[in-house]
Amino acid sequence: MNINIQLLFTINALARSTPWLQPFMVVYATVGGLVVFAELMFIGWWIARKREYLPAVAAAIWTPVGMLLALGINQPVAAAFAERRPYLVYTHILTLTEHSWASGFPSDHAVLAGAVTATLFLISRPLGWCTALAAAIMAFARVYVAEAYPLDVLVGLGLGAAVSLIGYLLVRRVLVRLLRMADPTIFRPLTTATPRKATRPDSIARVA
């Protein structure tokens, strides 16, 4: 038995022995975790626009795009591997969620978590570390509820982070340029929290 299966059984045994933790893990591994990452992305944008640093704002705007791109790339990859989920292979293990017939490798949830974490680090290291913790809990929760093998989530985290970072590096200059163009428009509040300086009356008079 390889270490991937051994870790699955070890974590599943932990799940059996911690019924008090099961409700939290089920919620976090499904809908709750997605809400957490949505909130973290919003916080990243809020921090970036207060810093008045356009590359950070560009990273904040790219984060949900990079996340969707990573998930899109993961679909054909997962379909190519066509891995059956743990509860479909080992019917004796504890299953805490409804069965899915979709391929589990790499894990979609881990791909999402890795993608968001990677670009939020570019905005704020403290926020990046908080997101990394949320991603680690997500990865563990997916194994805890028997939706994925440990290797599924580890590869998913790496794939999501790689796609998001590479994508950002490719489009960063374009995004920063677009944000500069947006500065004098009604979209300025999306890029900065600093209000536009009002024109002084005496300067208007001099121009007139």
Side-chain angles (χ1 to χ4, degrees), residues 96-130:
L96 298 174
T97 57
E98 293 184 5
H99 287 193
S100 170
W101 294 97
S103 175
F105 177 86
S107 165
D108 276 335
H109 286 72
V111 167
L112 177 152
V116 174
T117 301
T119 43
L120 290 188
F121 260 113
L122 301 176
I123 301 169
S124 164
R125 284 191 179 182
L127 178 62
W129 284 115
C130 288

Side-chain angles (χ1 to χ4, degrees), residues 30-90:
T30 52
V31 179
L34 303 182
V35 173
V36 169
F37 282 99
E39 292 174 346
L40 288 167
M41 285 190 286
F42 177 79
I43 292 171
W45 168 75
W46 193 260
I47 291 174
R49 65 191 287 272
K50 285 192 173 185
R51 288 179 56 190
E52 299 184 46
Y53 180 57
L54 288 182
V57 179
I61 292 175
W62 170 255
T63 299
V65 179
M67 176 194 72
L68 293 175
L69 176 63
L71 287 172
I73 290 176
N74 190 51
Q75 299 310 303
V77 174
F81 282 99
E83 180 191 77
R84 298 177 70 198
R85 294 182 184 268
Y87 45 63
L88 298 177
V89 178
Y90 305 101

Side-chain angles (χ1 to χ4, degrees), residues 49 52-54 57 61 175-197:
R49 65 191 287 272
E52 299 184 46
Y53 180 57
L54 288 182
V57 179
I61 292 175
L175 284 176
V176 170
R177 190 175 304 167
L178 290 174
L179 290 173
R180 286 199 183 102
M181 293 172 61
D183 186 71
T185 70
I186 59 173
F187 298 105
R188 177 183 167 86
L190 295 176
T191 65
T192 178
T194 304
R196 186 180 289 110
K197 293 181 180 179

